[in-house]
Amino acid sequence: GAVVSQHPSWVICKSGTSVKIECRSLDFQATTMFWYRQFPKQSLMLMATSNEGSKATYEQGVEKDKFLINHASLTLSTLTVTSAHPEDSSFYICSARKVGAVQSTDTQYFGPGTRLTVL
Amino acid sequence: AQSVAQPEDQVNVAEGNPLTVKCTYSVSGNPYLFWYVQYPNRGLQFLLKYITGDNLVKGSYGFEAEFNKSQTSFHLKKPSALVSDSALYFCAVRPTGFQKLVFGTGTRLLVSP
């Protein structure tokens, strides 16, 4: 199997507070995890690539000081939205790369997503 | 620039009929191709992928996809649609040498009883 979990599944917070979202690969080790953001009726936008034990690589236009990513173990990556504002409200999805026998067989498996609402 | 196109926002099909969800890509080299499905308020579920070999790839839930290199297409197909197949479908490519996926805009499939 290849199961990825996210916690929490939804969260409501006040403007100015910080929110942490966890992404776990339950039955495999993931040296690389990805964080996406999805707006209503739109595709996924890659925010950053998280590598275990090193700094995340952020996509252009994504504020690394606002979206803090930590990948401290082979099964856990966290995304912290700092000083959240209403415009940060979105559906955040993580994925974990399951390494195949050769790199070409790697597949990303996705978590169920976290809906963040900032009031 | 690397891109994936899903030309149809929505595909409507009656239950029991065959379905096709289209995907074309513009990526250099020999990319790896993927299809994912998303149900409401859920993450993406992996359906199938093409790496190399046979152009017809079989995946989960009876879905299959045909890789056509000359047309740079990777259309998703199923011989007989189910109402439960109604969902949002994403085509994605992983360019050679990259870890990240490039997604299409998604196609909503609506299967009517």
Side-chain angles (χ1 to χ4, degrees):
Chain A
V3 181
V4 177
S5 70
Q6 276 184 247
H7 178 81
S9 56
W10 60 270
V11 57
I12 301 173
C13 70
K14 293 182 178 180
S15 186
T17 60
S18 294
V19 174
K20 179 185 284 188
I21 303 170
E22 293 185 349
C23 177
R24 293 181 185 272
S25 55
L26 299 184
D27 52 2
F28 65 99
Q29 293 183 331
T31 54
T32 306
M33 291 184 173
F34 303 85
W35 286 96
Y36 295 84
R37 185 172 177 178
Q38 186 180 31
F39 293 98
K41 299 184 179 182
Q42 294 190 25
S43 188
L44 282 73
M45 181 193 80
L46 178 65
M47 299 174 66
T49 302
S50 168
N51 294 298
E52 186 267 336
S54 64
K55 291 183 179 180
T57 302
Y58 290 82
E59 296 297 302
Q60 191 173 11
V62 178
E63 299 176 63
K64 60 182 180 182
D65 294 331
K66 181 168 186 62
F67 298 99
L68 301 179
I69 292 173
N70 182 277
H71 192 160
S73 78
L74 289 173
T75 59
L76 173 65
S77 177
T78 61
L79 168 69
T80 301
V81 183
T82 62
S83 186
H85 291 284
E87 57 265 29
D88 298 324
S89 298
S90 190
F91 194 53
Y92 291 88
I93 305 175
C94 74
S95 71
R97 182 170 70 100
K98 184 175 182 181
V99 177
V102 294
Q103 188 179 21
S104 62
T105 61
D106 295 355
T107 298
Q108 283 189 35
Y109 292 91
F110 287 77
T114 297
R115 184 160 300 282
L116 170 64
T117 301
V118 185
L119 303 177
Chain B
Q2 301 158 348
S3 64
V4 178
Q6 291 181 244
E8 303 153 315
D9 289 338
Q10 182 163 314
V11 170
N12 298 306
V13 64
E15 187 175 32
N17 284 356
L19 68 88
T20 298
V21 182
K22 296 180 180 178
C23 171
T24 59
Y25 62 91
S26 175
V27 176
S28 59
N30 297 312
Y32 308 134
L33 301 159
F34 302 80
W35 275 101
Y36 289 87
V37 60
Q38 185 180 32
Y39 294 96
N41 295 310
R42 301 297 304 275
L44 275 65
Q45 293 180 28
F46 170 72
L47 280 179
L48 51 81
K49 66 181 177 183
Y50 173 82
I51 303 298
T52 187
D54 194 347
N55 289 342
L56 186 64
V57 179
K58 293 187 182 298
S60 306
Y61 313 120
F63 284 93
E64 57 189 29
E66 187 168 11
F67 170 64
N68 187 316
K69 187 173 183 178
S70 62
Q71 297 184 4
T72 61
S73 67
F74 189 56
H75 301 331
L76 181 70
K77 300 181 180 183
K78 187 173 182 180
S80 179
L82 299 173
V83 173
S84 58
D85 292 330
S86 299
L88 187 58
Y89 290 80
F90 288 98
C91 179
V93 300
R94 181 157 67 88
T96 308
F98 286 83
Q99 294 189 85
K100 62 184 180 183
L101 294 174
V102 178
F103 281 90
T105 50
T107 297
R108 187 164 302 281
L109 174 66
L110 183 60
V111 182
S112 55

